């Protein structure tokens, strides 16, 4: 009888040891680390993109490409486009939360705002976002959210944007800034670049449109009042670039833009970033969160590393704008 009890005791002790080892194999938060991405977990990522546009499309492509290179078939994307509607962003992001996605990538400010309103627990990475302090309503922004949010910013140095405009149009007197009043990040850029432009002696006036319905009329007024226009990185303007061009080009009013996509549609020149590279940087951050267990709230929002002076060759020729040799022509492919 004693021998039988001893055997049972040894069996129970061994079972407890196995259970203890299994319990210690996971991370302290109950989630096991997937070091090096060699585990078997498949990651589900929801992508909410505000609107279809070359810049945002390139950021999404870079994000997906990086993660597919690192994780192969172990990453799945639910990519959805909000067609420029903030309400659609909310619906999309709430769907990602209901599906229990592992991470949400929010492409553009409205998408980021919707994602942060949908969840405080699922990691969120923004991209193509100009100013995170504005987007997250954080007054004393220091580069880290302290929450479930981080990402990348597409803001080019606005002092250099102003310098470029002055380089191309030193004899201009009046600069009109055209942007959508519904985009808080555009307002931030306007407020920031205006004093830089005024230092060059320009008279600066802002012209705002509310949506695509009044962009042509507002552009017409801006062209009538201005020698040159400036358009910041504005998603609504990007979506309406053809309409803007249809007014500004016949009026012979040149436009300097905040990014390449808008410049291709209606501008003469831009100081721009590679949105595909920005997306890849966002993908790298996603990998660190999903595989290496990093906390997005502790991750610094990343900026673009390189900026390029670019120009639209056809539009510059038609408007008679002389472009310096250090500018790169925007590819039309």
């Amino acid at each position: 009888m004693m021998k039988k009890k001893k055997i049972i005791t040894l069996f129970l002790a061994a079972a407890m040891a196995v259970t203890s080892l299994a319990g210690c194999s996971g991370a302290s938060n109950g989630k096991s680390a997937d070091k090096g991405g060699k585990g078997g977990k498949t990651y589900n990522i929801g992508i909410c993109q505000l609107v279809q546009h070359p810049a945002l499309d390139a950021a999404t492509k870079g994000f997906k490409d990086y993660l597919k290179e690192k994780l192969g078939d172990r990453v799945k994307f639910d990519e959805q486009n909000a067609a420029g509607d903030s309400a659609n962003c909310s619906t999309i992001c709430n769907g990602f939360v209901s599906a229990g996605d592992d991470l949400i990538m929010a492409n553009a400010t409205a998408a980021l705002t919707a994602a942060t309103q949908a969840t405080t627990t699922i990691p969120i990475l923004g991209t193509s976002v100009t100013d995170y302090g504005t987007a997250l309503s954080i007054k004393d922004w220091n580069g880290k959210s302290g929450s479930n949010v981080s990402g990348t910013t597409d803001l080019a140095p606005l002092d250099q944007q102003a310098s470029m405009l002055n380089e191309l149009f030193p004899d201009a007197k009046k600069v009109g800034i055209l942007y959508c009043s519904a985009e808080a990040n555009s307002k931030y850029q306007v407020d920031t670049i205006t004093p830089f432009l005024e230092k060059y002696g320009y008279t600066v006036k802002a012209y705002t449109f509310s949506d695509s319905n009044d962009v042509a009329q507002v552009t017409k007024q801006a062209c009538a009042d201005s020698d040159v226009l400036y358009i910041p990185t504005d998603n609504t303007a990007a979506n309406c670039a053809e309409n803007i061009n249809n007014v500004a080009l016949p009026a012979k009013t040149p436009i300097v833009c905040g990014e390449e996509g808008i410049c291709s549609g209606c501008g003469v020149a831009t100081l721009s970033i590679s949105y595909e590279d920005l997306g890849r940087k966002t993908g790298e951050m996603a990998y660190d969160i999903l595989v290496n267990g990093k906390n997005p709230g502790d991750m610094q929002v990343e900026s673009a590393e390189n900026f390029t002076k670019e120009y639209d060759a056809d539009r510059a020729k038609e408007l008679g704008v002389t472009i310096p040799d250090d500018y790169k022509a925007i590819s039309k492919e």
Side-chain angles (χ1 to χ4, degrees):
M1 185 69 178
M2 292 297 293
K3 185 175 181 181
K4 185 176 182 181
K5 286 183 178 180
K6 186 175 181 180
I7 292 172
I8 292 173
T9 300
L10 290 172
F11 177 81
L12 290 173
M16 290 175 67
V18 171
T19 303
S20 177
L21 286 171
C24 292
S25 65
S28 59
N29 62 1
K31 295 181 179 180
S32 60
D34 184 12
K35 296 298 183 183
K38 298 183 184 302
K41 178 175 173 56
T42 295
Y43 299 100
N44 295 299
I45 298 178
I47 298 176
C48 178
Q49 182 173 315
L50 175 62
V51 68
Q52 187 172 4
H53 178 264
L56 303 189
D57 293 348
T60 294
K61 180 181 183 301
F63 176 79
K64 292 171 64 179
D65 285 351
Y66 180 89
L67 288 171
K68 284 188 289 187
E69 289 167 13
K70 298 292 287 187
L71 295 169
D73 292 337
R74 294 179 49 229
V75 61
K76 306 296 182 185
F77 301 103
D78 182 359
E79 181 181 347
Q80 299 190 42
N81 193 294
D85 191 329
S86 297
N88 288 344
C89 288
S90 296
T91 301
I92 291 168
C93 290
N94 285 327
F96 295 154
V97 174
S98 297
D101 284 349
D102 297 296
L103 183 141
I104 296 173
M105 195 279 267
N107 194 342
T109 301
L112 179 65
T113 300
T116 59
Q117 291 172 348
T119 179
T120 58
T121 55
I122 296 174
I124 298 168
L125 289 176
T127 194
S128 312
V129 175
T130 303
D131 177 56
Y132 280 75
T134 300
L136 302 176
S137 299
I138 299 176
K139 291 183 178 180
D140 299 321
W141 175 248
N142 64 4
K144 297 180 182 179
S145 72
S147 64
N148 61 322
V149 183
S150 191
T152 55
T153 173
D154 62 352
L155 182 63
L158 292 168
D159 57 339
Q160 294 182 39
Q161 296 265 14
S163 176
M164 186 183 69
L165 188 147
N166 180 250
E167 178 182 41
L168 295 174
F169 305 103
D171 298 327
K173 303 298 182 185
K174 298 179 180 180
V175 176
I177 304 182
L178 185 67
Y179 73 101
C180 178
S181 57
E183 298 201 28
N185 279 326
S186 297
K187 179 67 164 57
Y188 167 82
Q189 293 174 81
V190 172
D191 291 343
T192 303
I193 199 172
T194 294
F196 292 131
L197 291 168
E198 289 175 339
K199 285 183 179 180
Y200 289 107
Y202 296 118
T203 299
V204 183
K205 182 177 179 180
Y207 297 84
T208 61
F209 54 92
S210 57
D211 54 36
S212 59
N213 294 320
D214 61 341
V215 66
Q217 184 60 40
V218 173
T219 302
K220 182 178 180 180
Q221 186 62 55
C223 289
D225 296 344
S226 312
D227 300 313
V228 58
L229 299 184
Y230 174 77
I231 301 177
T233 55
D234 182 293
N235 291 302
T236 309
N239 204 34
C240 298
E242 183 177 353
N243 293 339
I244 295 170
N245 186 64
N246 289 341
V247 175
L249 193 60
K252 301 297 182 183
T253 305
I255 302 174
V256 173
C257 305
E259 56 93 4
E260 181 185 291
I262 301 177
C263 189
S264 295
C266 64
V268 169
T270 181
L271 179 66
S272 189
I273 64 171
S274 165
Y275 276 82
E276 186 168 346
D277 288 348
L278 196 70
R280 290 185 66 86
K281 172 64 72 173
T282 315
E284 183 179 341
M285 296 175 75
Y287 184 86
D288 275 340
I289 292 168
L290 296 170
V291 177
N292 298 327
K294 285 195 175 182
N295 177 12
D298 297 332
M299 299 174 73
Q300 188 84 18
V301 166
E302 300 278 356
S303 301
E305 297 179 355
N306 301 303
F307 302 92
T308 305
K309 289 181 176 181
E310 298 178 317
Y311 73 103
D312 185 285
D314 295 336
R315 203 168 288 115
K317 181 178 180 180
E318 185 165 349
L319 293 174
V321 179
T322 301
I323 303 296
D325 292 338
D326 60 336
Y327 283 65
K328 176 185 175 182
I330 297 173
S331 173
K332 294 295 184 178
E333 295 180 359

